[in-house]
Amino acid sequence: MSRTVVLFKNEVLKARKRLAFWVTTGVFAFFIAAGVAALVREAFMENGRPFAFPEVWERFLPMPAQAGPIMLAVLVILLFAPEFQWRTARQNVIDGLSKEQFYWGKLMVLPALVVLFLAVSFAIAGVGAVVSPSAEGSSSFVRRTDLSFMLGYVLLLVLWGSTGFLLAALIRASGPAIGVLMVYILVEQIMGAVLGRIESLRPVLSFLPQRVSESLGGNLLHYPDQLPQVNAGRVSLGMDPLDLPAKEALVLAALAYSALFLVLAFFNLRKRDL
């Protein structure tokens, strides 16, 4: 058995034994299940909107796209940062692992967690469709616009998972790292609200991580027919119309942030003592 497979199995085994893994995943599943239950309950009501694929994707996907990425970042921090607090990272190196192998062992867990969050999201949506009285008669399961949103959801999971990975490597303590994550989100929102009044800065602000997340995790980018209706409502209220960046640019920004954060975490681990 190769060293890579052994490292991955060890990390999966450690994650499965952690209460933080089960609690965080359970909270995420509960949140999604509560949202799907509301949609299914509406389908049972007289004149309620049906919970039928493919139309339901544009109502369902914003829920996991908003909650999943941040919760994944928190989970990555909870699984990774305690390795430094408990000195198990140092012990792994003493036992024969190089810093690079320790890094790759941790990194291999990230795509597994992404797949887990995707599976939880889509499994709950599927169960909701099965029990819904309006699940039959759909012409197709998914549309191209829905696939675009799903890709955006995957990118957001990778982006915020990488963010959690970097914060865990830099701060090396779960509580402070999660605190910094939440403070950053709040600060970026405040900064965007204040500096967004300056028209020349709006294109730059649109590519900050949280703004990229809001665009990739919202309906307007993936269902363009909704944007004119939203802008008409904003104009009627005296607000400026929304001007979203190109989808390709947002995808590249999410990938660039993810790669940058993972590279920074790698070099931080190599240079610092464990």
Side-chain angles (χ1 to χ4, degrees):
M1 187 179 298
S2 69
R3 176 59 69 91
T4 300
V5 175
V6 172
L7 286 173
F8 179 72
K9 286 187 174 182
N10 288 340
E11 294 300 330
V12 170
L13 181 61
K14 286 193 288 186
R16 288 172 56 189
K17 291 182 177 181
R18 295 286 309 281
L19 180 61
F21 170 79
W22 295 106
V23 170
T24 307
T25 306
V27 170
F28 173 67
F30 175 81
F31 176 84
I32 301 303
V36 170
L39 295 177
V40 173
R41 183 170 61 251
E42 182 182 353
F44 275 98
M45 297 172 61
E46 185 177 357
N47 299 323
R49 297 178 64 182
F51 189 91
F53 295 117
E55 291 80 8
V56 75
W57 287 119
E58 60 186 280
R59 297 164 61 201
F60 165 74
L61 284 170
M63 289 187 293
Q66 292 171 11
I70 302 302
M71 296 195 71
L72 180 59
V74 170
L75 179 56
V76 169
I77 291 172
L78 291 173
L79 293 178
F80 185 15
E83 295 275 8
F84 303 103
Q85 294 174 287
W86 299 339
R87 301 296 183 182
T88 50
R90 176 177 294 181
Q91 188 61 48
N92 284 335
V93 173
I94 293 174
D95 291 340
L97 282 183
S98 66
K99 289 183 178 180
E100 291 79 6
Q101 289 171 330
F102 174 78
Y103 171 85
W104 289 114
K106 293 299 178 185
L107 183 59
M108 283 188 291
V109 177
L110 179 56
L113 293 176
V114 169
V115 171
L116 173 64
F117 272 54
L118 291 172
V120 169
S121 303
F122 297 149
I124 293 174
V127 171
V130 170
V131 302
S132 171
S134 306
E136 297 180 358
S138 299
S139 58
S140 61
F141 176 70
V142 64
R143 302 163 295 188
R144 181 176 298 181
T145 50
D146 304 321
L147 290 174
S148 171
F149 203 149
M150 292 176 186
L151 173 61
Y153 179 30
V154 173
L155 290 173
L156 293 183
L157 289 173
V158 174
L159 168 59
W160 288 100
S162 303
T163 304
F165 198 88
L166 174 61
L167 290 175
L170 291 176
I171 301 175
R172 303 191 172 191
S174 301
I178 294 174
V180 169
L181 174 68
M182 298 306 171
V183 168
Y184 170 76
I185 293 173
L186 179 61
V187 168
E188 186 186 316
Q189 290 177 342
I190 295 174
M191 184 173 63
V194 174
L195 298 181
R197 300 173 183 176
I198 304 175
E199 187 173 354
S200 60
L201 293 179
R202 291 177 186 172
V204 177
L205 296 174
S206 298
F207 287 98
L208 293 176
Q210 182 64 17
R211 287 295 186 91
V212 170
S213 296
E214 291 174 358
S215 297
L216 286 175
N219 281 359
L220 298 181
L221 183 72
H222 307 287
Y223 302 98
D225 57 312
Q226 297 183 14
L227 185 59
Q229 302 174 15
V230 171
N231 279 339
R234 290 176 63 89
V235 170
S236 66
L237 296 174
M239 303 171 64
D240 294 333
L242 296 174
D243 185 16
L244 297 177
K247 185 188 305 181
E248 294 77 7
L250 291 169
V251 169
L252 289 175
L255 291 173
Y257 279 128
S258 301
L260 175 63
F261 295 162
L262 293 177
V263 169
L264 290 175
F266 175 75
F267 284 108
N268 177 268
L269 283 176
R270 285 190 65 184
K271 291 183 177 181
R272 291 175 63 184
D273 292 333
L274 297 179

